[in-house]
């Protein structure tokens, strides 16, 4: 998901830029050097700013910088814990979901979890019944992270508007359905390279519970079929639906489904 600039209002004037520069110096300096000084400007203490100004100032920082700054004093910790600061969250891997550098709350509007890693293609995207014990061991360390996190989102973020999940090879249809049931204001859902997602997410999730949805993307989800896409188009024609490559990919086929074909080939070879 691209971070949209209009999600957080941020003026681009010189004065605000200078304050941000000073703020970034704050947690790098020793505690006895509290005053913030900018050449040619007045010297001041960061904590002299009121809560609203600090809240706006924090909005310019990434998650790690916000947390680092919050460890300097109680006043800045209160700013860090203010739910209004966290209207947008972007994670680049499931392991980031374990960190304590963000706050989940009712102010969250935009959530993105993207995992662009070779491990996704080489391990996570393989069917479970084809994985080696080593591959299963790798997956066991992270396979429940995104699903557990989405469960927290369902309970704590009812005002979520946009959700993007990319490379999340272990999320299931039930995860998507639960989010749609709990986050009734969700307007945009983007699923990319989520191999366990099937038509069930579309038929029992998008059609049944996505009342506020305006846009749905299911790209490179190999177990999405034309039947599922058609169900959305027929029942929810108001939704802007796109599915790049999804319905054209080879879906998973369980071992028991391959037995008849294997037996047929064996018979052909036997009598040829």
């Amino acid at each position: 998901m691209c971070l949209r600039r209009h999600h957080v209002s941020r003026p681009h004037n010189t004065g605000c830029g200078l304050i941000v520069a000073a703020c970034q110096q704050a947690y790098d300096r020793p505690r006895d050097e509290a005053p913030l000084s900018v050449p040619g400007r007045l010297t001041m203490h960061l904590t002299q700013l009121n809560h609203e100004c600090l809240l706006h100032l924090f909005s310019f920082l990434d998650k790690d910088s916000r947390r680092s700054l919050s460890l300097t004093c109680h006043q800045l910790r209160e700013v860090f814990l203010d739910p209004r600061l966290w209207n947008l969250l972007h994670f680049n891997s499931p392991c980031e979901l374990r960190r304590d550098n963000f706050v989940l709350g009712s102010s969250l509007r935009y959530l993105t979890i993207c995992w662009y890693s070779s491990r996704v293609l080489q391990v996570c995207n393989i069917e479970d019944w084809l994985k080696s014990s080593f591959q299963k061991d790798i997956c066991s360390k992270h396979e429940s992270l995104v699903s557990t996190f989405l469960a927290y989102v369902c309970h704590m973020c009812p005002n979520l508007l946009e959700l993007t999940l990319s490379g999340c090879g272990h999320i299931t249809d039930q995860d998507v359905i639960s989010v749609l049931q709990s986050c009734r204001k969700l307007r945009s859902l983007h699923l990319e390279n989520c191999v366990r997602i099937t038509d069930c997410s579309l038929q029992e999730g998008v059609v049944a519970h996505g009342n506020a949805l305006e846009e749905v993307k299911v790209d490179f989800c190999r177990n999405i079929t034309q039947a599922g896409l058609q169900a959305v188009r027929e029942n929810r024609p108001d939704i802007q639906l796109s599915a790049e490559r999804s319905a054209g990919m080879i879906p998973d086929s369980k071992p028991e489904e391959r037995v008849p074909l294997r037996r047929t080939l064996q018979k052909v070879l036997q009598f040829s």
Side-chain angles (χ1 to χ4, degrees):
M1 167 181 160
C2 295
L3 297 180
R4 300 185 180 181
R5 293 180 181 176
H6 65 272
H7 289 171
V8 180
S9 176
R10 299 175 179 175
H12 299 283
N13 52 62
T14 304
C16 191
L18 289 169
I19 294 176
V20 173
C23 177
Q24 291 174 335
Q25 297 172 12
Y27 60 85
D28 290 330
R29 290 181 170 219
R31 289 175 179 255
D32 57 350
E33 295 184 20
L36 301 180
S37 60
V38 179
R41 302 288 175 177
L42 294 175
T43 299
M44 64 174 293
H45 290 263
L46 181 63
T47 52
Q48 289 177 306
L49 296 173
N50 62 31
H51 186 86
E52 295 301 320
C53 288
L54 290 172
L55 191 65
H56 182 68
L57 186 60
F58 267 59
S59 71
F60 287 83
L61 305 176
D62 58 34
K63 296 191 293 293
D64 288 331
S65 298
R66 291 175 183 180
R67 181 182 179 277
S68 297
L69 196 57
S70 75
L71 298 177
T72 59
C73 69
H74 292 296
Q75 182 180 353
L76 297 183
R77 183 66 179 175
E78 290 178 359
V79 177
F80 175 82
L81 295 176
D82 192 326
R84 292 176 296 171
L85 179 64
W86 305 97
N87 69 330
L88 182 152
L89 285 174
H90 189 134
F91 300 96
N92 293 313
S93 72
C95 65
E96 292 186 7
L97 302 176
R98 290 175 167 169
R99 299 178 183 174
D100 59 349
N101 59 356
F102 63 91
V103 174
L104 277 182
S106 59
S107 295
L108 182 63
R109 299 292 188 274
Y110 310 96
L111 172 61
T112 298
I113 304 175
C114 292
W115 196 16
Y116 300 118
S117 168
S118 58
R119 182 185 298 181
V120 175
L121 296 175
Q122 297 174 0
V123 180
C124 299
N125 282 6
I126 299 175
E127 296 96 318
D128 287 339
W129 51 88
L130 294 179
K131 290 178 182 175
S132 65
S133 57
F134 176 69
Q135 291 169 327
K136 290 179 180 179
D137 183 62
I138 292 177
C139 290
S140 67
K141 293 177 173 59
H142 63 262
E143 61 184 352
S144 63
L145 287 178
V146 179
S147 295
T148 301
F149 183 81
L150 291 177
Y152 284 117
V153 170
C154 290
H155 291 291
M156 304 175 68
C157 310
N159 299 312
L160 187 66
L161 299 179
E162 295 186 10
L163 174 63
T164 297
L165 302 172
S166 179
C168 300
H170 297 288
I171 64 167
T172 64
D173 292 319
Q174 188 54 54
D175 295 326
V176 176
I177 294 172
S178 295
V179 170
L180 290 170
Q181 288 175 329
S182 302
C183 305
R184 309 295 292 184
K185 298 180 182 179
L186 194 68
R187 296 184 311 207
S188 176
L189 175 64
H190 184 189
L191 304 174
E192 179 184 10
N193 193 22
C194 298
V195 297
R196 294 191 179 186
I197 297 302
T198 70
D199 291 343
C200 183
S201 289
L202 299 179
Q203 297 168 345
E204 299 181 23
V206 172
V207 173
H209 302 290
N211 298 326
L213 281 174
E214 300 172 359
E215 180 184 34
V216 174
K217 296 182 179 180
V218 281
D219 300 333
F220 299 94
C221 297
R222 65 179 182 234
N223 288 303
I224 293 292
T225 69
Q226 286 292 349
L229 298 175
Q230 189 60 30
V232 176
R233 295 189 179 103
E234 292 177 355
N235 294 282
R236 293 295 308 277
D238 55 309
I239 291 180
Q240 182 180 350
L241 177 65
S242 65
E244 185 177 354
R245 299 287 184 91
S246 289
M249 301 177 73
I250 300 175
D252 294 346
S253 178
K254 294 184 179 180
E256 57 267 26
E257 296 173 349
R258 297 176 179 174
V259 171
L261 177 60
R262 188 183 300 114
R263 288 177 179 174
T264 301
L265 292 174
Q266 289 175 344
K267 289 181 180 180
V268 170
L269 293 174
Q270 183 178 357
F271 293 101
S272 61

